[in-house]
Amino acid sequence: MANVAVVGSQWGDEGKGKIVDWLSERADVVVRFQGGHNAGHTLVVDGVTYKLSLLPSGVVRGGKYSIIGNGVVVDPWALLAEIETLRGQGVDISPENLAVAENATLILSLHRELDASREDSNSGMNIGTTRRGIGPAYEDKVGRRAIRVCDLADPTVLDDKIRALLAHHNALRTGFGKPSIDGGEIRAALQEVAPKILPYAKPVWLQLDEFRAAGRRILFEGAQGALLDNDHGTYPYVTSSNTLAGQVAVGAGVGPSAVGYVLGITKAYTTRVGEGPFPSELHDETGQLLGERGHEFGTVTGRARRCGWFDAVLVRQAVKVGGINGIALTKLDVLDGLPEIRICVGYRLDGKDLHHLPASMSAQACVEPVYETLEGWAESTRGARTWAALPASAIKYVRRVEELIQAPVALLSTSPEREDTILVNDPFRD
């Protein structure tokens, strides 16, 4: 049995929540290993919709153990609010089935305020963040001044860390014309939330080592997507963490050998939230149609997603840098009824052909897509659960996607419902 890492192969919003929930039936443990509550996963289970941001998607399935790894930045107030919301929907969540890494970095109110100040500034470059403090928290982490979950249990250390943190942040606030923050306010807020969070605090790296030794099946759940990776994405229009499967080892506290199969969640077309390059973006009626049919609005922000044709160049690049073994192709049904469907198979830049996305920000903004046109299908694929239920043209489209991205389709999703999934290869048994 292979432990599986699920990652996005585009700009996020590929449908990871449903696939992770579907796979969690075969897993014993589900682990988030990067990002924060800027991630939005929507699950539809037996007609009930669950919206998750920080909690692993496996939490809605009974009998599973959920872990928030050290690579995640944790807003404790957002976490508690999410737990209460799900409890109100009948989901059982307690320290018995949820652990938060004791060495995870905390997101504070000052991080959210700094995030918003930067987005509102006149710097001329809006990244399009969720304004939830993710980036500033990661900055404090690598700057070695972050407050971590374990610090909540040690008042002496907490006082010293708050002073060091405010020495940095109050200087930034002065630059933005904001008033300084009093350390007492931060300390009081953390003291109030500490007894609610600390019961969940665990050495999750040790737990995971024990689970592996016992032969438990582990599902590692990524957030965002490969093109938002801080190193390999469309920088600087990226998130503040590494979103590739390689981050599993660091963000969960396991060795690279812990992952046996990497599943890339891939939408049958392309979407993006926020600013940044998007070579295959559509600004016409087809783009609007994809957005309407696909209900393309962010789970976290509610922002409308930009829509475009499937970009095989970008997904192939994600497959290569992310070590993706197979993909789960989602939202195929959104393409139903289109007379023809286009796939981006290359780029043109300054009169030259390119078969990868260049790293340069200016080059990324100027590449022109080269398209291949396929025949569409009039029949509905929605709810199909076998290959035999798919139109011939839809199967041809899927096979062409496989050829272009150089990775097989392991799962095919035909609606938001959990069971509307065609299983080709079970990642846990691959």
Side-chain angles (χ1 to χ4, degrees):
M1 292 291 185
N3 293 327
V4 176
V6 172
V7 295
S9 67
Q10 294 158 309
W11 277 293
D13 309 310
E14 302 96 346
K16 288 184 293 297
K18 171 194 168 171
I19 300 300
V20 170
D21 172 64
W22 192 88
L23 286 171
S24 68
E25 184 177 15
R26 293 156 173 79
D28 302 303
V29 183
V30 184
V31 187
R32 274 283 307 274
F33 60 88
Q34 50 78 219
H37 64 308
N38 55 338
H41 294 167
T42 300
L43 312 179
V44 180
V45 182
D46 297 329
V48 179
T49 299
Y50 302 94
K51 294 190 176 183
L52 309 179
S53 294
L54 191 55
L55 291 167
S57 296
V59 77
V60 302
R61 192 183 282 275
K64 310 299 176 180
Y65 194 79
S66 295
I67 291 177
I68 297 175
N70 58 275
V72 179
V73 285
V74 179
D75 183 322
W77 298 277
L79 174 59
L80 292 171
E82 190 171 332
I83 288 173
E84 287 307 309
T85 296
L86 289 178
R87 282 176 176 165
Q89 292 183 280
V91 179
D92 177 32
I93 303 175
S94 73
E96 298 300 313
N97 62 3
L98 173 66
V100 179
E102 61 186 3
N103 53 336
T105 292
L106 293 176
I107 298 176
L108 310 180
S109 58
L110 54 81
H111 294 124
R112 296 191 295 271
E113 293 171 15
L114 177 57
D115 204 352
S117 293
R118 285 174 172 165
E119 285 292 293
D120 293 337
S121 73
N122 296 318
S123 64
M125 181 180 290
N126 291 329
I127 302 300
T129 76
T130 59
R131 299 171 179 253
R132 299 200 166 198
I134 310 298
Y138 273 117
E139 289 176 34
D140 284 342
K141 177 179 180 178
V142 298
R144 295 166 293 187
R145 55 182 171 265
I147 295 174
R148 306 193 296 176
V149 173
C150 56
D151 297 329
L152 298 177
D154 192 336
T156 303
V157 169
L158 188 59
D159 285 339
D160 292 339
K161 288 206 165 188
I162 290 174
R163 281 192 291 270
L165 187 66
L166 291 183
H168 174 79
H169 276 271
N170 279 335
L172 292 176
R173 292 176 67 85
T174 298
F176 281 109
K178 303 286 185 181
S180 295
I181 297 175
D182 178 73
E185 297 176 10
I186 299 293
R187 191 180 197 282
L190 290 174
Q191 282 181 320
E192 190 273 334
V193 81
K196 302 173 184 178
I197 291 294
L198 285 174
Y200 295 96
K202 308 282 175 56
V204 301
W205 66 270
L206 183 58
Q207 287 185 313
L208 287 169
D209 183 66
E210 292 170 349
F211 287 141
R212 292 181 63 201
R216 306 286 290 278
R217 288 169 293 184
I218 305 171
L219 185 62
F220 298 97
E221 178 184 6
Q224 290 88 39
L227 301 175
L228 293 175
D229 184 86
N230 197 260
D231 285 281
H232 295 282
T234 49
Y235 191 90
Y237 300 102
V238 294
T239 194
S240 296
S241 63
N242 288 107
T243 61
L244 303 180
Q247 177 63 20
V248 169
V250 177
V254 296
S257 62
V259 178
Y261 189 99
V262 180
L263 182 67
I265 314 303
T266 308
K267 196 176 287 185
Y269 50 101
T270 310
T271 62
R272 174 165 200 168
V273 171
E275 305 298 323
F278 187 167
S280 66
E281 183 174 9
L282 294 171
H283 300 281
D284 57 12
E285 293 181 359
T286 302
Q288 183 177 352
L289 178 66
L290 293 175
E292 292 173 353
R293 282 189 181 177
H295 304 288
E296 297 297 350
F297 296 91
T299 301
V300 171
T301 63
R303 291 180 293 182
R305 297 175 185 138
R306 301 154 62 189
C307 297
W309 294 119
F310 185 84
D311 192 327
V313 181
L314 292 181
V315 176
R316 182 171 62 244
Q317 197 159 323
V319 167
K320 302 297 185 183
V321 300
I324 292 173
N325 300 107
I327 69 165
L329 192 65
T330 65
K331 292 198 170 184
L332 182 68
D333 55 299
V334 174
L335 301 179
D336 290 352
L338 294 178
E340 63 178 32
I341 300 170
R342 307 180 86 184
I343 298 178
C344 177
V345 297
Y347 303 132
R348 294 280 291 175
L349 180 64
D350 297 330
K352 298 180 181 179
D353 291 329
L354 284 179
H355 297 286
H356 71 281
L357 185 70
S360 164
M361 178 178 169
S362 58
Q364 289 179 355
C366 294
V367 295
E368 299 177 4
V370 175
Y371 288 114
E372 177 180 301
T373 302
L374 283 73
E375 180 185 2
W377 54 89
E379 306 94 326
S380 173
T381 64
R382 187 174 180 86
R385 298 184 183 182
T386 65
W387 281 109
L390 295 176
S393 294
I395 294 175
K396 289 179 182 178
Y397 179 78
V398 173
R399 294 307 186 201
R400 185 57 179 149
V401 165
E402 290 180 313
E403 292 174 355
L404 290 168
I405 68 173
Q406 298 175 15
V409 170
L411 294 163
L412 185 64
S413 173
T414 56
S415 93
E417 290 292 337
R418 176 190 280 171
E419 300 306 326
D420 290 343
T421 305
I422 300 172
L423 175 63
V424 183
N425 292 305
D426 188 342
F428 277 114
R429 296 182 180 274
D430 196 272

